[in-house]
Amino acid sequence: MYRTLQLAIFTLLVTAAASLCAQITTPDTLSPKTPRNPARGPVVKPSDPLQWLWAFAKPEPIGRAADLRLDARFHALLADDFHRPQTVWGSEPGQNQPLDAIIPLFLSRYGTITTQQNRYLTVDGCVPDFCAAHGLLWFDLGTPHPLVIFAAVNWAPESHTTDEAAANYNLWIYPNREFSADEIPLAFTESLSHWDARLAAAHRLVPHIEHATLVEPSGTPYALT
């Protein structure tokens, strides 16, 4: 009896500690700015490089994933944080595209952008004409140095075809900075669960996860199954 992605995630991943309590303010709730006295010099703003992402979560409930994929800032973000090699997509070892090139592909079709708790932002979607391969890009925007995690699910062709109930899939998790398996945020695993439910409802995809792997920025993989 095969399991859903939701059951796989909460069985295979170690439950993370409670997330930080820091909250951020969306552009919709910003208060008017106090006029600055020119004699006092320029106001130095704290570094907050990813707040522009919030605009793409409107209009709710699905946001504007297609517009985000065309934004130069989005591709610069991926190039900075996810330029390492990957084995999620490609046929020949050593010939796979870098991770920042396949992330937009895995978010190309049926994409949505959602927010949670005024802190987390999630972009999801699937590969055009092959939604058996689908991705999720998760942001924790409530920290000075935002945590970004890319999760990709793809069909394992060694056994059953994608139209068979027993088809197997692999899950890869790529964070933008090093952490161990027991540091995976609980909010991220919850987003994976919601992602599974949406896929099941919209596209009848309830994959049986055969292997789950955490790949750190150094390239070191950790099997989670």
Side-chain angles (χ1 to χ4, degrees):
M1 179 177 181
Y2 62 87
R3 300 160 293 173
T4 65
L5 174 59
Q6 178 181 6
L7 293 176
I9 293 302
F10 284 98
T11 301
L12 301 177
L13 301 183
V14 178
T15 301
S19 60
L20 297 174
C21 295
Q23 296 291 306
I24 63 174
T25 303
T26 66
D28 294 333
T29 58
L30 290 175
S31 58
K33 297 180 180 179
T34 302
R36 178 177 60 87
N37 184 346
R40 295 184 178 181
V43 175
V44 178
K45 296 182 179 180
S47 176
D48 203 2
L50 299 183
Q51 293 303 299
W52 57 269
L53 287 166
W54 289 105
F56 290 92
K58 303 291 184 180
E60 296 179 345
I62 64 172
R64 296 182 292 117
D67 292 341
L68 176 63
R69 290 195 304 271
L70 298 176
D71 195 290
R73 294 170 296 182
F74 179 64
H75 293 278
L77 181 159
L78 297 181
D80 287 343
D81 288 341
F82 296 100
H83 52 268
R84 58 195 184 274
Q86 54 80 30
T87 57
V88 177
W89 189 258
S91 56
E92 297 295 330
Q95 297 182 3
N96 292 10
Q97 293 177 297
L99 191 58
D100 62 301
I102 68 106
I103 289 176
L105 178 66
F106 270 66
L107 306 176
S108 291
R109 193 174 186 190
Y110 304 123
T112 68
I113 301 180
T114 57
T115 64
Q116 301 83 36
Q117 302 176 32
N118 200 31
R119 171 170 178 168
Y120 308 106
L121 184 141
T122 301
V123 187
D124 66 9
C126 68
V127 174
D129 301 320
F130 191 65
C131 266
H134 42 281
L136 177 145
L137 193 60
W138 181 88
F139 299 84
D140 180 357
L141 299 176
T143 63
H145 303 287
L147 173 63
V148 188
I149 304 176
F150 173 60
V153 171
N154 197 10
W155 168 59
E158 296 82 7
S159 54
H160 302 275
T161 60
T162 58
D163 58 352
E164 294 181 286
N168 291 325
Y169 293 78
N170 295 317
L171 168 69
W172 286 268
I173 299 172
Y174 292 89
N176 69 332
R177 63 171 180 258
E178 303 276 345
F179 59 57
S180 62
D182 60 357
E183 294 176 314
I184 295 176
L186 177 60
F188 170 68
T189 64
E190 291 174 344
S191 291
L192 287 177
S193 176
H194 296 320
W195 180 40
D196 168 49
R198 191 180 78 81
L199 285 170
H203 312 299
R204 301 181 184 275
L205 291 174
V206 189
H208 170 202
I209 299 300
E210 182 72 10
H211 299 290
T213 304
L214 168 66
V215 184
E216 294 189 343
S218 62
T220 304
Y222 293 94
L224 299 175
T225 57

